[in-house]
Amino acid sequence: MRDGTQTTDGDEGAGGPAGADDATAADRTAPDAAPAEGPAAALSDRDEAVLAVERRSWPGPGAKERVIRERLGISPTRYYQLLNALLDDPRALAHDPVTVNRLRRIRDARRARR
């Protein structure tokens, strides 16, 4: 079945509604999905959107939570669960090393204060 299924760069990197199921898109291993990093290095559209939200600067928590609900369609609690899992995912580090490393430093500092 994998032989007939191919993804293009537009399916997983566009960030818009491509009509593909996130779990299915993440499981595909087409060689052209991420030529520079290999087939396993591709993140789902939702994971890329979570990192994109975190990459932005926010004036206060209300605006960020509103965007999380409207753009991603999930609760802020679920967003932070996904984000925390992404910080430990090597694919996320390969996709956006600056954001992931910044968030890891913040997380580690908070853990050290406890």
Side-chain angles (χ1 to χ4, degrees):
M1 178 109 177
R2 287 183 185 254
D3 296 337
T5 305
Q6 287 188 339
T7 61
T8 61
D9 292 335
D11 287 342
E12 293 185 16
D21 182 28
D22 286 341
T24 305
D27 292 338
R28 292 185 189 145
T29 57
D32 61 340
E37 300 167 354
L43 291 173
S44 69
D45 289 341
R46 182 181 63 182
D47 291 344
E48 288 182 12
V50 167
L51 289 173
V53 168
E54 204 57 41
R55 193 178 308 125
R56 291 182 52 186
S57 175
W58 299 96
K64 183 176 181 180
E65 290 178 359
R66 184 174 32 84
V67 168
I68 290 168
R69 289 186 187 279
E70 292 174 0
R71 182 174 175 206
L72 301 177
I74 58 177
S75 71
T77 301
R78 181 66 181 139
Y79 168 84
Y80 287 109
Q81 290 171 343
L82 292 170
L83 179 61
N84 194 44
L86 276 173
L87 295 183
D88 296 324
D89 190 336
R91 296 174 301 164
L93 181 62
H95 176 75
D96 192 350
V98 173
T99 301
V100 171
N101 283 326
R102 176 179 57 86
L103 294 171
R104 283 180 177 178
R105 284 191 304 271
I106 293 169
R107 182 180 67 176
D108 292 343
R110 286 182 180 157
R111 284 182 178 170
R113 285 188 298 219
R114 293 183 193 169

